[in-house]
Coordinates of all heavy atoms in Angstrom, one line a residue:
M1 N -2.1 13.1 -12.6 CA -1.8 12.3 -11.5 C -0.4 11.6 -11.8 O -0.2 11.1 -12.9 CB -2.8 11.2 -11.3 CG -2.5 10.3 -10.1 SD -3.8 9.1 -9.8 CE -5.2 10.1 -9.5
S2 N 0.5 11.7 -10.9 CA 1.9 11.2 -11.1 C 1.9 9.7 -11.0 O 0.9 9.1 -10.4 CB 2.8 11.8 -10.0 OG 2.5 11.3 -8.7
Q3 N 2.9 9.1 -11.4 CA 3.1 7.6 -11.3 C 3.1 7.2 -9.9 O 2.5 6.1 -9.5 CB 4.4 7.2 -12.0 CG 4.6 5.7 -12.1 CD 3.5 5.0 -13.0 OE1 2.9 5.7 -13.9 NE2 3.3 3.8 -12.8
R4 N 3.7 8.0 -9.0 CA 3.7 7.7 -7.6 C 2.3 7.6 -7.0 O 1.9 6.7 -6.2 CB 4.6 8.7 -6.8 CG 4.7 8.4 -5.4 CD 5.6 9.5 -4.7 NE 6.0 9.1 -3.4 CZ 5.3 9.4 -2.3 NH1 4.1 9.9 -2.4 NH2 5.7 9.0 -1.1
E5 N 1.5 8.6 -7.4 CA 0.1 8.7 -6.9 C -0.7 7.5 -7.4 O -1.5 7.0 -6.7 CB -0.5 10.0 -7.3 CG 0.0 11.2 -6.5 CD -0.4 12.5 -7.1 OE1 -0.6 12.6 -8.4 OE2 -0.6 13.5 -6.3
K6 N -0.5 7.1 -8.6 CA -1.2 6.0 -9.2 C -0.9 4.7 -8.5 O -1.7 3.9 -8.2 CB -0.9 5.8 -10.7 CG -1.5 6.9 -11.6 CD -1.1 6.7 -13.0 CE -1.6 7.8 -13.9 NZ -1.1 7.7 -15.3
M7 N 0.4 4.6 -8.2 CA 0.8 3.4 -7.4 C 0.2 3.4 -6.0 O -0.2 2.3 -5.5 CB 2.3 3.2 -7.4 CG 3.0 2.8 -8.7 SD 4.7 2.5 -8.5 CE 4.7 0.9 -7.6
M8 N 0.2 4.5 -5.4 CA -0.4 4.6 -4.0 C -1.9 4.3 -4.1 O -2.4 3.6 -3.2 CB -0.2 6.0 -3.5 CG 1.1 6.3 -2.9 SD 1.6 5.2 -1.5 CE 0.5 5.8 -0.3
K9 N -2.6 4.7 -5.1 CA -4.0 4.3 -5.3 C -4.2 2.8 -5.4 O -5.1 2.2 -4.9 CB -4.6 5.1 -6.5 CG -5.0 6.5 -6.1 CD -5.9 7.0 -7.2 CE -6.6 8.2 -6.7 NZ -7.9 8.5 -7.2
K10 N -3.3 2.2 -6.3 CA -3.4 0.7 -6.4 C -3.1 0.0 -5.1 O -3.8 -0.9 -4.8 CB -2.4 0.3 -7.5 CG -2.7 0.5 -8.9 CD -1.6 -0.1 -9.7 CE -1.9 -0.2 -11.2 NZ -0.9 -0.7 -12.0
L11 N -2.1 0.5 -4.4 CA -1.8 -0.1 -3.1 C -2.9 0.1 -2.1 O -3.3 -0.9 -1.4 CB -0.5 0.6 -2.6 CG 0.2 -0.1 -1.4 CD1 0.7 -1.5 -1.8 CD2 1.4 0.8 -1.0
S12 N -3.5 1.2 -2.1 CA -4.6 1.5 -1.2 C -5.8 0.6 -1.6 O -6.5 0.1 -0.7 CB -5.0 3.0 -1.3 OG -6.1 3.3 -0.4
A13 N -6.1 0.5 -2.8 CA -7.2 -0.4 -3.3 C -7.0 -1.8 -2.9 O -7.9 -2.5 -2.4 CB -7.5 -0.3 -4.8
A14 N -5.8 -2.3 -3.1 CA -5.5 -3.7 -2.7 C -5.6 -3.9 -1.2 O -6.1 -4.9 -0.7 CB -4.1 -4.1 -3.2
Q15 N -5.1 -2.9 -0.4 CA -5.2 -3.0 1.0 C -6.7 -3.0 1.5 O -7.0 -3.7 2.4 CB -4.4 -1.9 1.6 CG -4.2 -2.0 3.1 CD -3.3 -0.9 3.6 OE1 -3.3 0.2 3.1 NE2 -2.5 -1.2 4.7
F16 N -7.5 -2.1 0.9 CA -8.9 -2.0 1.2 C -9.6 -3.4 1.0 O -10.3 -3.9 1.8 CB -9.6 -0.9 0.4 CG -11.0 -0.8 0.7 CD1 -11.5 -0.2 1.8 CD2 -11.9 -1.4 -0.2 CE1 -12.9 -0.1 2.1 CE2 -13.3 -1.3 0.1 CZ -13.8 -0.6 1.2
A17 N -9.3 -4.0 -0.2 CA -9.9 -5.3 -0.5 C -9.5 -6.3 0.5 O -10.3 -7.1 0.9 CB -9.5 -5.7 -1.9
L18 N -8.2 -6.3 0.8 CA -7.7 -7.3 1.8 C -8.5 -7.1 3.2 O -8.9 -8.1 3.8 CB -6.2 -7.0 2.1 CG -5.2 -7.9 1.4 CD1 -3.8 -7.4 1.7 CD2 -5.4 -9.3 1.7
F19 N -8.6 -5.9 3.6 CA -9.3 -5.7 4.9 C -10.8 -6.1 4.8 O -11.3 -6.7 5.8 CB -9.2 -4.2 5.2 CG -9.8 -3.9 6.6 CD1 -9.1 -4.2 7.7 CD2 -11.0 -3.2 6.7 CE1 -9.7 -4.0 9.0 CE2 -11.5 -2.9 7.9 CZ -10.9 -3.3 9.1
E20 N -11.5 -5.8 3.8 CA -12.9 -6.2 3.6 C -13.0 -7.7 3.6 O -13.9 -8.2 4.2 CB -13.5 -5.5 2.4 CG -13.6 -4.0 2.5 CD -14.6 -3.6 3.6 OE1 -15.8 -4.2 3.6 OE2 -14.3 -2.8 4.4
I21 N -12.2 -8.3 2.8 CA -12.3 -9.8 2.8 C -11.9 -10.4 4.1 O -12.6 -11.4 4.6 CB -11.3 -10.3 1.7 CG1 -11.8 -9.9 0.3 CG2 -11.2 -11.9 1.7 CD1 -10.8 -10.1 -0.8
H22 N -11.0 -9.8 4.8 CA -10.6 -10.3 6.2 C -11.8 -10.2 7.1 O -12.1 -11.1 7.9 CB -9.5 -9.5 6.7 CG -9.0 -9.9 8.1 ND1 -8.2 -11.0 8.3 CD2 -9.4 -9.4 9.3 CE1 -8.0 -11.1 9.6 NE2 -8.7 -10.2 10.2
L23 N -12.5 -9.1 7.0 CA -13.7 -8.9 7.9 C -14.8 -10.0 7.5 O -15.4 -10.5 8.4 CB -14.3 -7.5 7.7 CG -13.6 -6.4 8.3 CD1 -14.2 -5.0 7.9 CD2 -13.5 -6.5 9.8
Y24 N -15.0 -10.2 6.2 CA -15.9 -11.3 5.8 C -15.5 -12.6 6.4 O -16.3 -13.4 6.9 CB -16.0 -11.3 4.3 CG -16.9 -12.4 3.8 CD1 -18.2 -12.3 3.7 CD2 -16.3 -13.6 3.4 CE1 -19.0 -13.3 3.2 CE2 -17.1 -14.7 2.9 CZ -18.4 -14.5 2.8 OH -19.2 -15.5 2.4
L25 N -14.2 -12.9 6.3 CA -13.7 -14.2 6.7 C -13.8 -14.4 8.2 O -13.9 -15.5 8.7 CB -12.3 -14.4 6.3 CG -12.1 -14.7 4.8 CD1 -10.6 -14.7 4.4 CD2 -12.7 -16.1 4.4
D26 N -13.9 -13.3 9.0 CA -14.1 -13.4 10.4 C -15.4 -14.0 10.7 O -15.6 -14.7 11.7 CB -14.1 -12.0 11.1 CG -12.7 -11.4 11.3 OD1 -11.7 -12.2 11.1 OD2 -12.5 -10.2 11.5
T27 N -16.4 -13.8 9.9 CA -17.8 -14.4 10.1 C -18.1 -15.6 9.2 O -19.0 -16.3 9.5 CB -18.9 -13.3 9.9 OG1 -18.7 -12.8 8.6 CG2 -18.7 -12.2 10.9
H28 N -17.2 -15.8 8.2 CA -17.4 -17.0 7.3 C -16.1 -17.7 7.1 O -15.5 -17.7 6.0 CB -17.9 -16.5 6.0 CG -19.2 -15.8 6.0 ND1 -19.3 -14.4 6.4 CD2 -20.5 -16.2 5.8 CE1 -20.6 -14.1 6.4 NE2 -21.3 -15.1 6.0
P29 N -15.5 -18.3 8.2 CA -14.1 -18.8 8.1 C -14.0 -20.1 7.2 O -12.9 -20.4 6.8 CB -13.8 -19.2 9.5 CG -15.1 -19.3 10.2 CD -16.1 -18.4 9.5
D30 N -15.2 -20.7 6.8 CA -15.1 -21.9 6.0 C -15.3 -21.6 4.5 O -15.3 -22.5 3.7 CB -16.2 -22.9 6.5 CG -16.0 -23.3 7.9 OD1 -14.8 -23.4 8.3 OD2 -17.0 -23.6 8.6
D31 N -15.4 -20.3 4.1 CA -15.6 -20.0 2.7 C -14.2 -20.0 2.0 O -13.4 -19.1 2.0 CB -16.2 -18.6 2.6 CG -16.6 -18.2 1.2 OD1 -16.1 -18.8 0.3 OD2 -17.5 -17.3 1.1
L32 N -13.9 -21.2 1.4 CA -12.6 -21.4 0.8 C -12.4 -20.5 -0.5 O -11.3 -20.1 -0.8 CB -12.5 -22.9 0.4 CG -12.5 -23.9 1.5 CD1 -12.4 -25.3 1.0 CD2 -11.5 -23.5 2.5
Q33 N -13.5 -20.1 -1.1 CA -13.4 -19.3 -2.3 C -12.9 -17.9 -1.9 O -12.0 -17.3 -2.5 CB -14.7 -19.1 -3.0 CG -14.6 -18.4 -4.3 CD -16.0 -18.3 -5.0 OE1 -17.0 -18.9 -4.5 NE2 -16.0 -17.7 -6.2
M34 N -13.4 -17.4 -0.8 CA -13.0 -16.1 -0.3 C -11.6 -16.1 0.3 O -10.8 -15.2 0.2 CB -14.0 -15.5 0.8 CG -15.3 -15.1 0.2 SD -15.1 -13.8 -1.2 CE -14.8 -12.4 -0.2
L35 N -11.2 -17.3 0.9 CA -9.9 -17.4 1.4 C -8.9 -17.4 0.3 O -7.8 -16.8 0.4 CB -9.8 -18.7 2.2 CG -8.5 -19.0 2.9 CD1 -8.1 -17.9 3.9 CD2 -8.5 -20.4 3.6
S36 N -9.2 -18.0 -0.8 CA -8.4 -18.0 -2.0 C -8.3 -16.5 -2.5 O -7.2 -16.1 -2.9 CB -9.0 -18.9 -3.1 OG -8.3 -18.8 -4.3
L37 N -9.4 -15.8 -2.6 CA -9.4 -14.4 -3.0 C -8.5 -13.6 -2.1 O -7.8 -12.7 -2.6 CB -10.8 -13.9 -3.1 CG -11.0 -12.6 -3.8 CD1 -10.5 -12.6 -5.2 CD2 -12.5 -12.2 -3.7
H38 N -8.6 -13.8 -0.8 CA -7.7 -13.1 0.2 C -6.3 -13.3 -0.1 O -5.5 -12.4 -0.1 CB -8.1 -13.5 1.6 CG -7.4 -12.8 2.6 ND1 -6.1 -13.1 3.1 CD2 -7.7 -11.6 3.3 CE1 -5.7 -12.2 4.0 NE2 -6.7 -11.3 4.2
R39 N -5.9 -14.6 -0.4 CA -4.5 -14.8 -0.7 C -4.1 -14.1 -2.0 O -2.9 -13.6 -2.1 CB -4.3 -16.4 -0.9 CG -4.3 -17.1 0.5 CD -4.0 -18.5 0.3 NE -4.1 -19.2 1.6 CZ -4.9 -20.3 1.8 NH1 -5.5 -20.8 0.8 NH2 -5.0 -20.8 3.0
K40 N -5.0 -14.1 -3.0 CA -4.7 -13.4 -4.3 C -4.4 -11.9 -4.0 O -3.4 -11.4 -4.5 CB -5.9 -13.6 -5.2 CG -5.7 -12.8 -6.5 CD -7.0 -13.0 -7.4 CE -6.9 -12.0 -8.5 NZ -8.2 -12.0 -9.3
Y41 N -5.3 -11.3 -3.2 CA -5.1 -9.8 -3.0 C -3.9 -9.6 -2.1 O -3.2 -8.6 -2.2 CB -6.4 -9.2 -2.4 CG -7.3 -8.8 -3.4 CD1 -8.4 -9.6 -3.8 CD2 -7.2 -7.6 -4.1 CE1 -9.3 -9.2 -4.8 CE2 -8.0 -7.2 -5.1 CZ -9.1 -8.0 -5.4 OH -9.9 -7.6 -6.4
Q42 N -3.6 -10.5 -1.2 CA -2.4 -10.4 -0.3 C -1.2 -10.4 -1.2 O -0.3 -9.6 -1.0 CB -2.4 -11.5 0.7 CG -1.3 -11.2 1.8 CD -1.5 -12.2 2.9 OE1 -2.1 -13.3 2.8 NE2 -0.9 -11.8 4.1
S43 N -1.1 -11.3 -2.1 CA 0.0 -11.4 -3.0 C 0.1 -10.1 -3.9 O 1.2 -9.6 -4.1 CB -0.1 -12.6 -3.9 OG 0.9 -12.7 -4.9
K44 N -1.0 -9.7 -4.4 CA -1.0 -8.5 -5.2 C -0.5 -7.3 -4.4 O 0.3 -6.5 -4.9 CB -2.5 -8.2 -5.7 CG -2.6 -7.0 -6.6 CD -4.0 -6.9 -7.1 CE -4.2 -5.7 -8.1 NZ -5.5 -5.6 -8.6
Y45 N -1.0 -7.1 -3.2 CA -0.6 -6.0 -2.3 C 0.9 -6.1 -2.1 O 1.6 -5.0 -2.2 CB -1.3 -6.1 -1.0 CG -0.8 -5.1 0.0 CD1 -1.2 -3.8 0.0 CD2 0.0 -5.5 1.0 CE1 -0.8 -2.9 0.9 CE2 0.5 -4.6 1.9 CZ 0.1 -3.3 1.9 OH 0.6 -2.4 2.8
M46 N 1.4 -7.2 -1.8 CA 2.9 -7.4 -1.5 C 3.7 -7.0 -2.7 O 4.8 -6.4 -2.6 CB 3.2 -8.8 -1.0 CG 2.6 -9.1 0.3 SD 2.9 -7.9 1.6 CE 4.6 -8.2 1.9
L47 N 3.3 -7.4 -3.9 CA 4.0 -7.1 -5.2 C 4.0 -5.5 -5.4 O 5.0 -5.0 -5.7 CB 3.4 -7.8 -6.4 CG 3.7 -9.3 -6.5 CD1 2.9 -9.9 -7.6 CD2 5.2 -9.5 -6.7
I48 N 2.8 -4.9 -5.3 CA 2.7 -3.5 -5.5 C 3.6 -2.7 -4.4 O 4.3 -1.8 -4.8 CB 1.3 -3.0 -5.4 CG1 0.5 -3.6 -6.6 CG2 1.2 -1.5 -5.5 CD1 -1.0 -3.5 -6.4
K49 N 3.5 -3.2 -3.2 CA 4.2 -2.6 -2.1 C 5.8 -2.7 -2.4 O 6.5 -1.7 -2.2 CB 3.9 -3.2 -0.8 CG 4.6 -2.6 0.4 CD 4.1 -3.3 1.7 CE 4.9 -2.7 2.8 NZ 5.5 -3.6 3.7
K50 N 6.2 -3.8 -2.8 CA 7.6 -4.0 -3.1 C 8.1 -3.1 -4.2 O 9.1 -2.4 -4.1 CB 7.9 -5.5 -3.5 CG 9.3 -5.8 -3.7 CD 9.5 -7.2 -4.1 CE 11.0 -7.5 -4.3 NZ 11.3 -8.3 -5.4
E51 N 7.3 -3.0 -5.3 CA 7.6 -2.2 -6.4 C 7.6 -0.7 -6.0 O 8.5 0.0 -6.4 CB 6.6 -2.4 -7.5 CG 6.9 -1.6 -8.8 CD 5.8 -1.7 -9.9 OE1 5.0 -2.6 -9.8 OE2 5.9 -1.0 -10.8
F52 N 6.6 -0.3 -5.2 CA 6.6 1.1 -4.7 C 7.8 1.4 -3.9 O 8.5 2.4 -4.1 CB 5.3 1.3 -3.9 CG 5.2 2.7 -3.4 CD1 4.5 3.7 -4.2 CD2 5.8 3.1 -2.2 CE1 4.4 5.0 -3.7 CE2 5.7 4.4 -1.8 CZ 5.0 5.4 -2.5
E53 N 8.2 0.5 -3.0 CA 9.3 0.8 -2.1 C 10.6 0.8 -2.8 O 11.6 1.5 -2.5 CB 9.3 -0.2 -0.9 CG 8.2 0.1 0.1 CD 8.2 -0.8 1.3 OE1 8.7 -1.9 1.2 OE2 7.6 -0.4 2.3
E54 N 10.7 0.0 -3.9 CA 11.9 0.0 -4.7 C 12.1 1.3 -5.5 O 13.2 1.9 -5.6 CB 11.9 -1.1 -5.7 CG 12.2 -2.5 -5.1 CD 12.0 -3.6 -6.0 OE1 11.6 -3.4 -7.2 OE2 12.3 -4.8 -5.6
K55 N 11.0 1.9 -5.9 CA 11.0 3.2 -6.7 C 11.1 4.4 -5.8 O 11.7 5.4 -6.1 CB 9.8 3.3 -7.6 CG 9.8 2.4 -8.8 CD 8.6 2.6 -9.6 CE 8.6 1.7 -10.8 NZ 7.5 2.0 -11.7
Y56 N 10.3 4.4 -4.7 CA 10.1 5.6 -3.9 C 10.5 5.6 -2.5 O 10.4 6.5 -1.7 CB 8.6 6.0 -4.0 CG 8.1 6.2 -5.4 CD1 7.2 5.2 -5.9 CD2 8.5 7.3 -6.2 CE1 6.8 5.4 -7.2 CE2 8.0 7.4 -7.5 CZ 7.2 6.5 -8.0 OH 6.7 6.6 -9.3
G57 N 11.0 4.4 -2.0 CA 11.5 4.3 -0.6 C 10.4 3.7 0.2 O 9.3 3.4 -0.2
P58 N 10.8 3.4 1.5 CA 9.9 2.7 2.4 C 8.6 3.5 2.7 O 8.6 4.7 2.8 CB 10.7 2.5 3.7 CG 11.8 3.6 3.6 CD 12.0 3.8 2.1
L59 N 7.5 2.7 2.9 CA 6.2 3.3 3.3 C 6.1 3.6 4.8 O 5.4 4.5 5.2 CB 5.1 2.3 2.9 CG 4.8 2.2 1.4 CD1 3.9 1.1 1.1 CD2 4.2 3.5 0.9
T60 N 6.9 2.9 5.6 CA 6.8 3.1 7.0 C 8.3 3.0 7.6 O 9.1 2.4 6.9 CB 6.0 2.0 7.7 OG1 6.6 0.7 7.6 CG2 4.6 2.0 7.2
P61 N 8.5 3.5 8.7 CA 9.8 3.5 9.3 C 10.3 2.0 9.5 O 11.5 1.7 9.4 CB 9.7 4.2 10.7 CG 8.5 5.0 10.6 CD 7.6 4.3 9.6
A62 N 9.4 1.1 9.8 CA 9.8 -0.3 10.0 C 10.3 -0.9 8.7 O 11.1 -1.9 8.8 CB 8.5 -1.1 10.5
N63 N 9.9 -0.4 7.5 CA 10.4 -0.9 6.3 C 11.7 -0.3 5.8 O 12.3 -0.7 4.9 CB 9.3 -0.7 5.2 CG 8.1 -1.5 5.5 OD1 8.1 -2.4 6.3 ND2 7.0 -1.1 4.9
G64 N 12.1 0.8 6.5 CA 13.3 1.5 6.1 C 14.5 1.0 6.8 O 14.5 0.1 7.6
Q65 N 15.6 1.6 6.4 CA 16.9 1.3 7.0 C 17.5 2.5 7.8 O 18.2 3.3 7.2 CB 17.9 0.8 5.9 CG 17.3 -0.2 5.0 CD 18.3 -1.4 4.8 OE1 19.5 -1.2 5.0 NE2 17.8 -2.5 4.5
G66 N 17.0 2.6 9.0 CA 17.6 3.7 9.8 C 17.3 5.1 9.3 O 16.1 5.4 9.1
V67 N 18.3 5.8 9.1 CA 18.1 7.2 8.7 C 17.6 7.4 7.2 O 17.3 8.5 6.8 CB 19.4 8.0 8.8 CG1 19.8 8.1 10.3 CG2 20.6 7.5 8.0
E68 N 17.6 6.3 6.5 CA 17.1 6.4 5.1 C 15.7 6.9 5.1 O 15.2 7.6 4.2 CB 17.2 5.0 4.4 CG 18.6 4.6 4.1 CD 19.3 5.6 3.2 OE1 18.7 6.0 2.1 OE2 20.4 5.9 3.5
W69 N 14.9 6.5 6.1 CA 13.5 7.0 6.2 C 13.4 8.5 6.3 O 12.6 9.1 5.7 CB 12.9 6.4 7.5 CG 11.6 6.9 7.8 CD1 11.2 7.8 8.8 CD2 10.3 6.5 7.2 NE1 9.9 8.0 8.8 CE2 9.3 7.3 7.8 CE3 10.0 5.7 6.1 CZ2 8.0 7.2 7.4 CZ3 8.6 5.6 5.7 CH2 7.7 6.3 6.4
L70 N 14.4 9.1 6.9 CA 14.4 10.6 7.1 C 14.8 11.3 5.8 O 14.5 12.5 5.7 CB 15.3 11.0 8.2 CG 14.9 10.4 9.6 CD1 16.0 10.8 10.6 CD2 13.6 11.0 10.1
K71 N 15.5 10.6 4.9 CA 15.9 11.3 3.7 C 14.8 11.4 2.6 O 14.9 12.3 1.7 CB 17.1 10.5 3.1 CG 18.3 10.5 3.9 CD 19.4 9.7 3.3 CE 20.7 9.6 4.2 NZ 21.7 8.8 3.6
D72 N 13.8 10.6 2.7 CA 12.7 10.7 1.7 C 11.9 11.9 1.9 O 11.8 12.4 3.1 CB 11.8 9.4 1.9 CG 12.5 8.2 1.4 OD1 13.4 8.3 0.6 OD2 12.1 7.1 1.9
P73 N 11.3 12.4 0.9 CA 10.4 13.6 1.1 C 9.2 13.2 1.8 O 8.6 12.1 1.7 CB 10.0 14.0 -0.4 CG 10.3 12.9 -1.2 CD 11.4 12.0 -0.5
W74 N 8.7 14.1 2.7 CA 7.5 13.8 3.5 C 6.3 14.3 2.7 O 6.5 15.0 1.7 CB 7.6 14.6 4.8 CG 8.7 14.1 5.7 CD1 10.0 14.3 5.6 CD2 8.5 13.1 6.8 NE1 10.7 13.6 6.6 CE2 9.8 12.9 7.3 CE3 7.4 12.5 7.3 CZ2 10.0 12.0 8.4 CZ3 7.7 11.6 8.4 CH2 8.9 11.4 8.9
P75 N 5.1 13.8 3.0 CA 4.0 14.1 2.1 C 3.8 15.6 1.9 O 3.5 16.0 0.8 CB 2.8 13.5 2.9 CG 3.4 12.3 3.6 CD 4.8 12.8 4.0
W76 N 4.0 16.4 3.0 CA 3.8 17.8 2.8 C 4.9 18.5 1.9 O 4.7 19.5 1.4 CB 3.7 18.5 4.2 CG 4.8 18.2 5.1 CD1 6.0 18.7 5.2 CD2 4.8 17.1 6.1 NE1 6.8 18.1 6.2 CE2 6.0 17.1 6.8 CE3 3.8 16.2 6.5 CZ2 6.3 16.2 7.8 CZ3 4.1 15.3 7.5 CH2 5.4 15.4 8.1
D77 N 6.1 17.8 1.9 CA 7.1 18.3 0.9 C 6.6 18.2 -0.5 O 6.8 19.0 -1.3 CB 8.4 17.6 1.1 CG 9.0 17.9 2.5 OD1 8.8 18.9 3.0 OD2 9.8 17.0 3.0
L78 N 6.0 17.0 -0.8 CA 5.5 16.8 -2.1 C 4.3 17.7 -2.5 O 4.2 18.2 -3.6 CB 5.0 15.3 -2.3 CG 6.1 14.3 -2.1 CD1 5.6 12.9 -2.1 CD2 7.2 14.4 -3.2
E79 N 3.5 18.0 -1.5 CA 2.3 18.9 -1.7 C 2.9 20.3 -2.1 O 2.4 20.9 -3.0 CB 1.5 19.0 -0.5 CG 0.7 17.7 -0.2 CD -0.4 17.5 -1.3 OE1 -1.0 18.4 -1.8 OE2 -0.6 16.3 -1.6
R80 N 3.9 20.8 -1.4 CA 4.4 22.1 -1.6 C 5.0 22.2 -3.0 O 4.8 23.2 -3.7 CB 5.5 22.4 -0.6 CG 6.0 23.8 -0.6 CD 6.9 24.0 0.5 NE 7.1 22.8 1.3 CZ 7.8 22.7 2.4 NH1 8.3 23.8 3.0 NH2 7.9 21.6 3.0
E81 N 5.7 21.1 -3.5 CA 6.2 21.1 -4.8 C 5.2 21.2 -5.9 O 5.3 21.8 -6.9 CB 7.1 19.8 -5.1 CG 8.4 19.8 -4.2 CD 9.1 18.5 -4.3 OE1 8.6 17.6 -5.2 OE2 10.0 18.2 -3.6
R82 N 4.1 20.5 -5.6 CA 3.0 20.4 -6.6 C 2.2 21.7 -6.6 O 1.8 22.1 -7.7 CB 2.1 19.3 -6.2 CG 1.2 18.8 -7.3 CD 0.4 17.6 -7.0 NE 0.3 17.3 -5.6 CZ 0.1 16.1 -5.1 NH1 0.0 15.1 -5.8 NH2 0.1 16.0 -3.8
C83 N 2.0 22.4 -5.5 CA 1.2 23.6 -5.5 C 1.9 24.9 -5.6 O 1.4 26.0 -5.7 CB 0.3 23.6 -4.3 SG 1.2 24.0 -2.8
D84 N 3.3 24.8 -5.6 CA 4.1 26.0 -5.7 C 3.8 27.1 -4.7 O 3.7 28.3 -5.0 CB 4.0 26.7 -7.1 CG 4.6 25.7 -8.2 OD1 5.6 25.0 -7.9 OD2 4.0 25.7 -9.3
C85 N 3.6 26.6 -3.4 CA 3.2 27.5 -2.3 C 4.5 28.2 -1.8 O 5.5 27.8 -1.8 CB 2.6 26.7 -1.2 SG 1.1 25.9 -1.7

């Protein structure tokens, strides 16, 4: 597994945790411990996302700078390189 894939897994895990905690907080808005945990994962997600985008470029067009988004390899470009198709 490449470093890029490892970072994507970390990012995905932090995003999943954020979403699940958010769902919990929808029904338990007074749980301060979970609110604190949500802030912790939000911070972790933002740090990983920032590091990823610095190394590999923007994750979404909204995070990119115009045509820079188009210069990055698309997921299927990376798959082709990996499988030698």
Side-chain angles (χ1 to χ4, degrees):
M1 181 178 302
S2 71
Q3 186 65 24
R4 184 179 190 275
E5 291 170 324
K6 288 178 185 177
M7 286 187 74
M8 282 298 290
K9 278 193 164 212
K10 280 183 173 181
L11 192 61
S12 180
Q15 190 174 32
F16 177 80
L18 265 175
F19 184 72
E20 290 296 310
I21 295 168
H22 179 82
L23 289 175
Y24 174 84
L25 287 170
D26 282 346
T27 57
H28 301 81
D30 298 327
D31 190 336
L32 298 180
Q33 185 177 2
M34 289 304 281
L35 186 58
S36 174
L37 190 60
H38 185 272
R39 288 186 183 127
K40 175 184 170 187
Y41 274 97
Q42 189 170 24
S43 176
K44 181 177 182 177
Y45 172 80
M46 295 306 288
L47 287 172
I48 297 169
K49 182 178 179 229
K50 182 179 182 222
E51 182 182 350
F52 182 91
E53 289 182 336
E54 286 172 355
K55 287 184 178 182
Y56 304 107
L59 286 167
T60 65
N63 297 343
Q65 306 229 338
V67 296
E68 290 301 313
W69 172 256
L70 298 174
K71 293 179 184 176
D72 290 334
W74 293 81
W76 49 86
D77 293 333
L78 298 174
E79 290 294 323
R80 191 175 0 191
E81 292 172 10
R82 198 173 17 206
C83 74
D84 296 324
C85 300

